[in-house]
Amino acid sequence: DGGYYLTGTRIALDSVVLAFESGASPESILRSFPLIGSLERVYGAITFYLANRETVETYLQQQDALWSDLPVEWNSPPRRCSE
């Protein structure tokens, strides 16, 4: 769907990059996202990001713009139906 995901998972590269950029260690990232599967895959995601930093940063900025363009009601939690 045009996004970056770790192969075989629903984990977006965004999640790994944001954690890494916030100072999280690869071990901590794996603990936070155990479905990544292995430390090697965390390092692989970080390596991909570092090797393609400009492309990934552009993608992240586009994602931020998409989120900020959503109507305000889409950014708030759904309301419960009253019975």
Side-chain angles (χ1 to χ4, degrees), residues 26-45:
E27 293 81 5
S28 176
I29 294 170
L30 182 58
R31 280 192 300 276
S32 296
F33 303 100
L35 292 177
I36 290 175
S38 70
L39 198 51
E40 292 83 5
R41 292 191 64 180
V42 174
Y43 277 104

Side-chain angles (χ1 to χ4, degrees), residues 2-83:
Y4 291 99
Y5 295 89
L6 278 76
T7 303
T9 74
R10 291 184 173 201
I11 299 170
L13 180 63
D14 312 30
S15 301
V16 175
V17 169
L18 293 174
F20 175 70
E21 288 291 314
S22 295
S25 69
E27 293 81 5
S28 176
I29 294 170
L30 182 58
R31 280 192 300 276
S32 296
F33 303 100
L35 292 177
I36 290 175
S38 70
L39 198 51
E40 292 83 5
R41 292 191 64 180
V42 174
Y43 277 104
I46 294 169
T47 300
F48 177 84
Y49 165 62
L50 293 174
N52 300 280
R53 184 175 246 157
E54 188 174 314
T55 301
V56 174
E57 289 293 335
T58 299
Y59 165 75
L60 293 175
Q61 290 170 1
Q62 291 169 345
Q63 292 300 103
D64 285 343
L66 287 174
W67 278 106
S68 66
D69 289 345
L70 287 177
V72 174
E73 63 269 10
W74 285 24
N75 290 319
S76 60
R79 290 185 239 168
R80 294 182 181 216
C81 297
S82 58
E83 293 181 28

